Amino acid sequence: MAEQIETLLKTGRIIEPTSQTKAQAHIQDYEKAYARSIEDPEQFWDGIAKELDWFSPWEKVLEWNYPWAKWFVGGTCNITYNCLDRHVQSWRKNKVAVIWVGEEGQERIFTYAELYRQVNKCANALKGLGLKQGDRVTIYLPKIPEQIVAMLACARIGLIHSVVYSGFSAPALESRIKDCGSRLVITADVGYDRGKSLNLKQVVDEAVARCPSVEHTIVVRREQPGVPLAQPKELDWETWVEGCSPVCEAEPLDAETPLYFLYTSGTTGKPKGVVHVHGGYMVGTYITSKYVFDLKDDDIYFCVADPGWVTGHSYIVYGPLLNGATILTAEGKPNYPTPGRWWELIARYSVSIFYTTPTAIRLLMKYGEEWPAKSDLSSLRILGSVGEPINPEAWEWFHRVAGGDKPIMDTWWQTETGMILVTPLPSVPLKPGSATRPFLGIEADVVDKEGNSVGTGGGFAVIKKPWPSMMRTIYKDPERYTTYWNTIPGCYTAGDVCHKDEDGYFWFMGRADDVVKVAGNRIGTAEVESALVSHDAVVEAAVIGKPHATAGEMIKAFVILKEGQTETSDMIKHLQAHVLQELGKIAVPKEIDIVTSLPKTRSGKIMRRVLKAKELGQDPGDISTLEE
Ligand code: PRX
């Protein structure tokens, strides 16, 4: 990757926007708009916030008490009022809000009016369970419309949702429920993966049995006959919402009221509950959706993410709905039933904006250009990529098969940032492999360890000023929050290594810390290590990320066995199965080496960097702290 970037930096292919793209873009002159936005960022954000509806105005745009931020201080709002009521009161009432397509091609369509009714009914059903503002609700659902409905219903009455990706296993779900003390879990009987059904209810049963805070479990029943439910604790979704009133006013909430917690991996074994709030998050996701994807009322916007991750929160649910967009969302994988799946959906629904991931693009590349060629992709106008660096080959392939003249928005951001921070806008000249420039109002830079700007060259990606949709804290762990702002003095450290070129373009090159990006999913090496060590046969484990042709990175583990345990090929399989059970499929190490020692510092910390260098045949750098 790094080598490819170097090569590209030298060749410097620049793709100018077509005159049509530029002419219709919300922001036609990025340089001018950016310069103006950072002259006075508070004024910029104030103006954007005023494009939305508030119950009462704010007294102050920003209260910045380093590193603690409050935005739109004193204002009251509700993000769902802007996602739903605003549109239902306009001509958009009967506009399609969500098109959902199941694995077998089945379709469910919700207009704004219908989504509004469903959300209100669900909100009333939540009230019926006695849930009150500030209570936590865990949503462990496959990618079905109820996931969107449940999120919005919680937000409508000030409940905090914690969506957990439905690929996580019972212990991983359990720890996420326990950390936030959810009173309710919403799940489904099954999810589908390539025609196979996955028993989600069983995972929830196992987790909830050890979570005393959970009073009820709601189950969306997709299969016949319906899975048995242990009433009154377990309720069927349909019966639960049936008969509830379709009217439920959005609760006016202080702008800083938590909207959701989303657990993400860091450098310790424990996932962190990133906290986002109604006001600032609403403003940030609204304007980035509008400007980056150039959203217009006649667009059909297709984002392939799962609401289990932040991309689904910000760019399937909140951002697009805030803009009154029509969203296409599809359950299942890009290559099932055929590798033509997504291209066919684009043709079938005349998708104009398509937001996907580098891993998916690399996977589809393997099947060849004949698959996209079979579908009419002429409706496309904007493409997007997120989650990991996109290598120039994948960028060029995606660009070519989509028609050769549709700009790719390589959007860089994080769970913690809530919104896209470094990204092209459609009118910005592109360089394949670069996320280009900071979004309006965002002061991003590349610095050395001391925080000095490198000007041109490599270093750490940082953000120099607060922005509205930044996380407010880590739930129950404020210290962990402050480390983001303390690691490099005076700025928010993203944890990414980045190269800034002479045009000020950002080239993100991967994580600087012990976080691995497998198919864009964020996995902490410490989490996998602790899962491995929890196996009876293991005494110690070290985990690294290793480049992988499709997934970007893969997990490799080095394991020391307890005395008396012998290395057999079965042992590796056992250990993989154990991680599957503890964390879920996405965290299973593809390779496991049984070793007798691990490189450590004199204080006993495993030097993963040394392992990685050895594995990749690279120079391990400074090893003066290495004990042996
Ligand atoms: O390393 C960066 C990578 O994903 C990390 C954030 O992961 P997560 O919180 O799971 O959010 C993913 C979806 C926003 C970042 O620290 N990353 C994300 N987008 C890009 C990226 N790396 C390079 N280019 C991107 N466009």
Side-chain angles (χ1 to χ4, degrees):
M1 183 72 206
E3 271 164 37
Q4 287 161 350
I5 287 176
E6 291 304 327
T7 320
L8 254 123
L9 281 167
K10 278 186 210 120
T11 56
R13 167 162 143 85
I14 295 180
I15 298 151
E16 295 290 340
T18 65
S19 53
Q20 197 192 355
T21 300
K22 202 160 177 173
Q24 66 188 13
H26 284 298
I27 299 294
Q28 299 185 358
D29 187 341
Y30 165 80
E31 298 300 340
K32 210 162 114 194
Y34 181 71
R36 198 178 313 136
S37 75
I38 59 160
E39 246 169 50
D40 187 348
E42 286 178 43
Q43 195 186 6
F44 169 75
W45 291 115
D46 184 72
I48 303 298
K50 284 182 180 148
E51 291 185 21
L52 295 163
D53 289 343
W54 295 72
F55 297 121
S56 61
W58 50 96
E59 289 138 24
K60 218 170 154 191
V61 177
L62 169 67
E63 198 176 285
W64 182 225
N65 187 5
Y66 193 92
W68 305 98
K70 284 187 182 160
W71 283 86
F72 311 108
V73 184
T76 56
C77 63
N78 185 307
I79 195 167
T80 73
Y81 187 90
N82 283 289
C83 288
L84 299 169
D85 304 53
R86 214 157 86 99
H87 309 311
V88 168
Q89 290 157 18
S90 77
W91 68 267
R92 290 198 188 98
K93 182 173 178 180
N94 294 318
K95 178 178 174 179
V96 172
V98 178
I99 306 168
W100 173 86
V101 183
E103 265 207 346
E104 306 304 329
Q106 60 283 42
E107 182 186 79
R108 289 169 72 188
I109 292 184
F110 298 72
T111 60
Y112 272 92
E114 181 57 16
L115 185 62
Y116 172 78
R117 280 191 291 272
Q118 296 295 333
V119 169
N120 285 342
K121 286 176 92 161
C122 182
N124 281 323
L126 289 164
K127 281 186 181 170
L129 294 177
L131 294 164
K132 301 257 163 7
Q133 191 183 323
D135 283 342
R136 276 80 61 204
V137 174
T138 295
I139 300 173
Y140 182 75
L141 281 170
K143 214 203 275 186
I144 54 176
E146 283 76 5
Q147 201 181 25
I148 300 175
V149 171
M151 288 165 77
L152 294 167
C154 288
R156 196 147 179 92
I157 57 172
L159 306 179
I160 301 165
H161 60 71
S162 162
V163 180
V164 178
Y165 172 61
S166 62
F168 278 117
S169 65
L173 173 63
E174 178 192 331
S175 70
R176 286 161 176 78
I177 297 174
K178 275 193 175 145
D179 189 75
C180 68
S182 292
R183 290 181 65 188
L184 178 72
V185 177
I186 303 179
T187 189
D189 51 358
V190 293
Y192 296 106
D193 183 7
R194 294 190 172 88
K196 271 201 335 236
S197 57
L198 310 169
N199 192 336
L200 301 183
K201 171 75 169 42
Q202 196 182 334
V203 176
V204 171
D205 286 349
E206 218 186 291
V208 165
R210 295 188 292 264
C211 296
S213 67
V214 177
E215 296 161 21
H216 291 97
T217 301
I218 308 295
V219 185
V220 178
R221 291 201 274 190
R222 312 177 76 188
E223 297 213 316
Q224 293 297 334
V227 60
L229 299 176
Q231 301 213 11
K233 227 186 139 176
E234 297 179 353
L235 304 167
D236 167 65
W237 169 285
E238 287 291 330
T239 327
W240 178 57
V241 294
E242 197 183 71
C244 288
S245 161
V247 180
C248 175
E249 296 300 328
E251 192 66 36
L253 303 167
D254 182 272
E256 287 293 309
T257 307
L259 166 65
Y260 68 78
F261 300 164
L262 184 56
Y263 287 89
T264 190
S265 299
T267 48
T268 74
K270 195 173 167 286
K272 36 194 176 184
V274 168
V275 179
H276 284 294
V277 301
H278 274 255
Y281 179 80
M282 166 173 91
V283 173
T285 54
Y286 159 73
I287 200 60
T288 42
S289 299
K290 180 170 168 176
Y291 287 173
V292 174
F293 300 112
D294 199 36
L295 269 177
K296 303 279 166 52
D297 260 313
D298 54 359
D299 277 313
I300 306 284
Y301 167 88
F302 179 23
C303 171
V304 304
D306 185 305
W309 308 110
V310 75
T311 306
H313 283 63
S314 299
Y315 298 108
I316 291 183
V317 183
Y318 291 110
L321 291 177
L322 286 165
N323 283 278
T326 298
I327 300 147
L328 171 67
T329 170
E331 192 177 17
K333 297 284 190 294
N335 55 354
Y336 180 86
T338 73
R341 158 91 172 166
W342 285 353
W343 311 119
E344 284 161 16
L345 287 176
I346 290 168
R348 178 162 143 202
Y349 293 100
S350 301
V351 168
S352 49
I353 304 168
F354 179 43
Y355 193 23
T356 183
T357 67
T359 292
I361 296 166
R362 287 189 293 259
L363 175 74
L364 294 174
M365 269 171 89
K366 286 208 276 197
Y367 295 101
E369 292 185 27
E370 59 268 32
W371 286 99
K374 282 185 202 182
S375 293
D376 174 7
L377 306 179
S378 58
S379 56
L380 287 172
R381 92 184 167 85
I382 308 273
L383 311 172
S385 169
V386 64
E388 47 181 315
I390 178 163
N391 50 312
E393 288 74 12
W395 197 105
E396 295 283 4
W397 187 86
F398 189 28
H399 192 244
R400 188 169 62 248
V401 302
D405 55 353
K406 320 287 155 52
I408 302 177
M409 305 299 110
D410 175 4
T411 63
W412 178 90
W413 59 296
Q414 306 177 304
T415 306
E416 294 88 336
T417 70
M419 66 180 232
I420 295 167
L421 293 188
V422 178
T423 179
L425 300 181
S427 59
V428 167
L430 303 172
K431 299 187 187 185
S434 166
T436 76
R437 307 279 308 275
F439 187 74
L440 308 187
I442 300 298
E443 273 185 56
D445 201 1
V446 177
V447 301
D448 63 19
K449 271 190 192 139
E450 281 72 46
N452 306 307
S453 180
V454 297
T456 302
F460 302 100
V462 296
I463 312 297
K464 295 197 154 162
K465 287 207 176 121
W467 63 100
S469 71
M470 60 192 265
M471 69 166 159
R472 295 303 192 263
T473 189
I474 301 287
Y475 185 57
K476 289 199 300 203
D477 201 349
E479 260 172 52
R480 219 165 157 194
Y481 166 80
T482 57
T483 57
Y484 284 87
W485 289 91
N486 288 343
T487 309
I488 294 174
C491 21
Y492 169 88
T493 308
D496 278 50
V497 185
C498 190
H499 182 105
K500 200 161 108 188
D501 73 16
E502 61 287 356
D503 297 323
Y505 275 48
F506 287 68
W507 299 75
F508 289 93
M509 302 170 82
R511 299 285 306 192
D513 54 11
D514 294 319
V515 167
V516 185
K517 279 278 181 159
V518 183
N521 299 311
R522 184 164 155 177
I523 295 158
T525 53
E527 273 170 88
V528 185
E529 286 164 6
S530 82
L532 284 165
V533 173
S534 73
H535 189 280
D536 283 345
V538 176
V539 68
E540 220 171 350
V543 166
I544 59 164
K546 199 176 149 180
H548 183 270
T550 315
E553 278 191 290
M554 56 163 253
I555 297 175
K556 163 134 200 184
F558 299 85
V559 163
I560 303 180
L561 295 180
K562 280 188 187 153
E563 229 164 293
Q565 298 286 344
T566 42
E567 179 183 348
T568 59
S569 60
D570 271 2
M571 177 59 85
I572 310 265
K573 286 204 191 96
H574 278 312
L575 295 177
Q576 286 170 326
H578 182 70
V579 178
L580 176 72
Q581 203 201 331
E582 288 297 304
L583 294 173
K585 199 168 155 190
I586 53 169
V588 175
K590 221 177 165 65
E591 289 176 10
I592 299 184
D593 283 4
I594 310 274
V595 295
T596 50
S597 71
L598 290 168
K600 284 189 187 160
T601 61
R602 286 185 195 100
S603 60
K605 268 174 76 179
I606 297 172
M607 293 181 80
R608 298 184 189 88
R609 151 174 89 74
V610 174
L611 277 173
K612 190 164 178 166
K614 191 157 176 261
E615 183 69 25
L616 305 183
Q618 294 168 345
D619 173 12
D622 177 16
I623 49 166
S624 55
T625 54
L626 188 69
E627 192 186 42
E628 43 182 293

